[in-house]
Amino acid sequence: MTATQMTQVANEATTLIPYGIVTTSAKGKERDKAMDQHQYYEFGGPWGVTAMMLIFPVLMYYFWICLWFYDGQLVHPTSVDDIVPFFSRMWDHVRQDAAPTVYTFTIYTGLMAYELLLAFIMPGYEQQGLPVPSLDYKSLTYYCNALSSFYATMITCAFLHLTHLFRLTDIMNNFGSMMTVAMIWGWAASFLTYYITIWNGSQMRMSGNFFYDFWMGAPLNPRIGLVDLKMWAEVRIPWMLLFIIALSGACKQYEDYGYVTANMAFMVLATGLYLNACAKGEECIPQTWDMYHEKWGFMIIFWNFAGVPFTYCYSIVYMASHDPSKYHFSTP
């Protein structure tokens, strides 16, 4: 071996993982080092991300109001003189029907706590992630038990509903308030994660602009013991809650009309199949860009906690709040 080859081997990073050996060349290490530094702004920079952080919650309220109170129409001021009254009406809807309560806070927080508990105790599969440059190419272990957690959650939901300890219909009946609680948790978790990371000095790839860094996140691999919070929040909260919202809509229909429409049953099936697929394929997530490179900030946290479950369910919300005669499958 020549001196040049010996130097090249010495500069390589070798990581042993269960399914083989990953070797990173010296050139690759240089590229990794560059990628772990802030290089340029995305999403429109500080102004763009600040606008999105402020507008997203407003849009979520607006679309919910349109669906629940205005038959799905995109309402707007009818004249210049109606602008101020229009915003007053919108605020009244939020104040009266979406204010957080102790009950809805307990429901949402209880689900999050239960899913976190299941992430610790349910049986699953240990999967190795890709070598992480910022950890000197160490490969992290991910505990993949979303599938068993999914089954445990469904059994728990059925027990609570059938015994009347907690009726699933309460989620749809308190949808606006639940959405507000989810937004509060999204903001709170984002601030908490950001400042804890800054406090312990583990932040990375920071731009120096607070608003942009808050949006993108400070930590790369936030963990509580063996649970990777980023992977936990990617499947256990948004898709689990979305499926439960679909079940809540179906239960509400059954209580109101004595049957579940084919349209609602389709949404229960669709969201259930999607969640089932995510849970079964959870061991594929640790090798993705989300785990390997994407930081955990407001962009991901807010949408996992609030954005995904409370916006991907609009068809369910419409059907749960309207008589079945208002909608039907198209027929020849």
Side-chain angles (χ1 to χ4, degrees):
M1 180 179 295
T2 65
T4 301
Q5 291 174 322
M6 292 178 65
T7 301
Q8 181 179 354
V9 171
N11 290 334
E12 290 179 346
T14 301
T15 305
L16 178 64
I17 52 181
Y19 43 83
I21 296 177
V22 177
T23 301
T24 306
S25 66
K27 185 177 180 180
K29 291 173 68 176
E30 292 178 5
R31 178 58 178 162
D32 288 337
K33 184 177 180 180
M35 290 182 66
D36 274 343
Q37 303 296 322
H38 172 72
Q39 297 176 320
Y40 50 84
Y41 286 124
E42 299 177 281
F43 304 103
W47 285 103
V49 300
T50 302
M52 286 189 282
M53 286 189 286
L54 296 176
I55 292 173
F56 283 159
V58 174
L59 284 176
M60 290 172 65
Y61 281 125
Y62 173 69
F63 289 138
W64 162 68
I65 291 171
C66 291
L67 284 167
W68 198 270
F69 300 102
Y70 297 95
D71 290 331
Q73 301 176 58
L74 297 178
V75 293
H76 54 79
T78 56
S79 65
V80 173
D81 292 336
D82 188 45
I83 293 177
V84 174
F86 169 79
F87 284 107
S88 178
R89 292 194 297 272
M90 295 299 103
W91 171 244
D92 285 342
H93 284 305
V94 174
R95 180 174 55 84
Q96 296 171 10
D97 299 288
T101 65
V102 173
Y103 184 57
T104 53
F105 183 84
T106 302
I107 295 172
Y108 186 90
T109 307
L111 175 64
M112 291 183 63
Y114 186 56
E115 293 304 320
L116 185 59
L117 173 65
L118 293 178
F120 278 101
I121 66 175
M122 294 303 290
Y125 176 78
E126 288 190 355
Q127 177 68 291
Q128 295 296 119
L130 294 175
V132 182
S134 58
L135 299 178
D136 196 24
Y137 294 92
K138 175 185 176 183
S139 177
L140 296 175
T141 300
Y142 294 82
Y143 195 50
C144 305
N145 58 3
L147 188 60
S148 59
S149 298
F150 169 38
Y151 294 151
T153 302
M154 292 305 100
I155 292 172
T156 304
C157 286
F159 173 78
L160 293 174
H161 183 76
L162 295 174
T163 58
H164 290 255
L165 291 174
F166 168 73
R167 299 291 286 175
L168 288 174
T169 49
D170 285 355
I171 294 176
M172 191 57 65
N173 290 333
N174 296 276
F175 186 88
S177 181
M178 285 279 292
M179 183 171 66
T180 299
V181 171
M183 291 185 195
I184 293 172
W185 263 112
W187 279 97
S190 298
F191 276 113
L192 190 63
T193 303
Y194 181 85
Y195 283 112
I196 288 178
T197 304
I198 298 297
W199 176 74
N200 64 30
S202 58
Q203 71 271 21
M204 63 177 300
R205 217 181 305 134
M206 305 294 276
S207 70
N209 181 280
F210 168 77
F211 298 100
Y212 186 78
D213 290 334
F214 180 72
W215 166 269
M216 297 298 290
L220 178 61
N221 306 110
R223 292 190 163 217
I224 299 178
L226 56 82
V227 176
D228 185 276
L229 294 177
K230 191 164 56 170
M231 192 172 80
W232 166 76
E234 187 166 303
V235 175
R236 317 303 177 87
I237 298 302
W239 306 116
M240 197 78 73
L241 184 52
L242 178 61
F243 182 53
I244 293 175
I245 289 173
L247 291 175
S248 177
C251 290
K252 179 175 172 56
Q253 269 197 345
Y254 188 80
E255 288 194 358
D256 290 346
Y257 305 108
Y259 66 94
V260 176
T261 64
N263 311 67
M264 183 69 82
F266 174 80
M267 288 308 301
V268 172
L269 175 65
T271 54
L273 288 176
Y274 192 92
L275 171 57
N276 185 65
C278 289
K280 284 184 176 178
E282 189 184 29
E283 70 271 13
C284 300
I285 297 177
Q287 293 86 30
T288 63
W289 180 264
D290 292 6
M291 299 299 112
Y292 170 76
H293 186 78
E294 200 75 73
K295 296 188 294 179
W296 207 45
F298 180 90
M299 177 179 67
I300 296 179
I301 296 173
F302 183 85
W303 278 97
N304 282 338
F305 283 24
V308 168
F310 289 94
T311 60
Y312 287 24
C313 63
Y314 286 153
S315 58
I316 300 166
V317 172
Y318 181 84
M319 290 186 287
S321 58
H322 289 76
D323 189 277
S325 62
K326 288 275 190 178
Y327 58 88
H328 56 80
F329 283 124
S330 59
T331 55

